Amino acid sequence: MTDAHHLFSTYSSCVDNLKVEIADGTLSPVASKGSIHISESITLNPVLHVPNLSCNLLSISQLTKKSNCSDLSLGKTIGSAKEREGLYYFNKTDVLGQCPPTVCNYASYPKDNELLLWHKRMGHPSFQYLKHLLLSLCSNKTLLDFQCEVCELAKHHWASFPKSKYKPLIPFTLIHSGLWGPSRTPNRTHKKWFITFIDDHTRLCWVYLLTNKTEVRSIFMNFHSMIQTQFHTKIQTLRTDNGTEYF
Ligand SMILES: [Zn+2]
């Protein structure tokens, strides 16, 4: 992908309304597709002309797959680029005449994908640990380059709940309720669920076992009646997780 219109040797306007997402998250329209000669032996095709790009981007995997650029039969080098901070920079005297350095993306290098795959298969161990096991996949890499989205998210802390000013001073002002289940193994009476009612003031907890979720309504009605008849009071607030079983 490039923003430099003048580099193209063939150029056809793009009818597909293609858009690419650039680094700031916005979508940029693709103006056209074409081919670019970057050296005597390498022609890139297709190259997208994206006017909003601020540098040229080249996918190494795309290059090796689509362009017939790795001359394996002769074994000779047909191009070189220096790696700096995870990107390859072509020397501007080598290719593209006087244009700015071409930046190549190496994120889809097969060994990186394989290392990430093993990281996932083995239950997300640290990359330092993986290096001991899979040294061949880690060579020439700074392990800090690897980032696993799942690991990043798993290390996030939950934001704490704000402290509530409300303090119930008498029983049954506030009842917390939650339903749990189904358990894989039913108990001896074939129950797979339980529901709890916890009084916020006394912390007393009532637990009822259920065969089916649909019993929540009748169990709550019984609990509600029990509070009225046995304690001569009423539940003022029932707090739940808004689960549909309470509707
Ligand atoms: Zn991970």
Side-chain angles (χ1 to χ4, degrees):
M1 291 186 278
T2 181
D3 64 326
H5 176 264
H6 66 276
L7 296 175
F8 286 85
S9 50
T10 65
Y11 194 87
S12 60
S13 55
C14 202
V15 289
D16 308 337
N17 279 327
L18 274 179
K19 288 193 170 73
V20 296
E21 189 175 340
I22 56 175
D24 66 359
T26 58
L27 293 175
S28 288
V30 175
S32 72
K33 279 183 195 174
S35 60
I36 293 181
H37 298 298
I38 61 169
S39 72
E40 272 184 22
S41 48
I42 305 177
T43 300
L44 304 176
N45 188 30
V47 180
L48 303 182
H49 178 216
V50 184
N52 290 347
L53 276 188
S54 54
C55 63
N56 303 327
L57 286 169
L58 172 61
S59 160
I60 295 290
S61 70
Q62 203 58 7
L63 182 67
T64 52
K65 268 184 238 153
K66 294 256 169 125
S67 312
N68 191 22
C69 74
S70 45
D71 201 341
L72 293 174
S73 56
L74 294 173
K76 70 174 186 193
T77 305
I78 54 176
S80 67
K82 281 203 171 142
E83 193 257 5
R84 204 163 70 232
E85 292 174 344
L87 294 169
Y88 291 115
Y89 287 81
F90 274 122
N91 189 331
K92 66 171 138 184
T93 55
D94 280 359
V95 289
L96 300 182
Q98 291 305 305
C99 76
T102 303
V103 183
C104 313
N105 178 354
Y106 81 161
S108 51
Y109 186 58
K111 277 190 176 177
D112 293 3
N113 290 339
E114 209 178 327
L115 189 65
L116 264 179
L117 181 64
W118 278 107
H119 167 76
K120 288 173 186 171
R121 279 177 177 161
M122 298 172 79
H124 298 265
S126 76
F127 288 106
Q128 285 293 343
Y129 178 69
L130 271 182
K131 195 180 168 185
H132 289 290
L133 294 168
L134 303 163
L135 195 60
S136 62
L137 296 181
C138 299
S139 55
N140 303 325
K141 301 296 298 180
T142 53
L143 289 173
L144 292 173
D145 288 345
F146 286 105
Q147 276 172 351
C148 167
E149 195 183 353
V150 174
C151 285
E152 298 274 323
L153 288 174
K155 283 173 192 158
H156 281 203
H157 291 281
W158 290 100
S160 54
F161 290 103
K163 285 230 162 67
S164 167
K165 283 182 192 153
Y166 166 74
K167 285 269 176 290
L169 295 170
I170 51 169
F172 306 114
T173 311
L174 174 64
I175 298 287
H176 302 274
S177 180
L179 178 72
W180 182 91
S183 79
R184 256 182 292 171
T185 314
N187 79 347
R188 292 173 63 191
T189 55
H190 313 293
K191 312 286 189 189
K192 288 182 152 192
W193 302 77
F194 69 78
I195 188 169
T196 55
F197 298 101
I198 300 171
D199 174 42
D200 196 274
H201 178 60
T202 60
R203 312 307 296 179
L204 268 176
C205 178
W206 285 263
V207 182
Y208 297 86
L209 301 177
L210 294 73
T211 314
N212 197 295
K213 241 175 139 172
T214 54
E215 293 161 38
V216 169
R217 179 188 158 87
S218 60
I219 285 176
F220 175 69
M221 286 170 78
N222 283 340
F223 176 74
H224 186 257
S225 306
M226 187 268 289
I227 302 303
Q228 288 186 335
T229 54
Q230 303 300 306
F231 298 94
H232 310 291
T233 186
K234 285 183 175 176
I235 296 171
Q236 289 177 26
T237 307
L238 178 72
R239 183 174 287 173
T240 72
D241 62 358
N242 220 18
T244 50
E245 60 273 8
Y246 289 98
F247 294 174

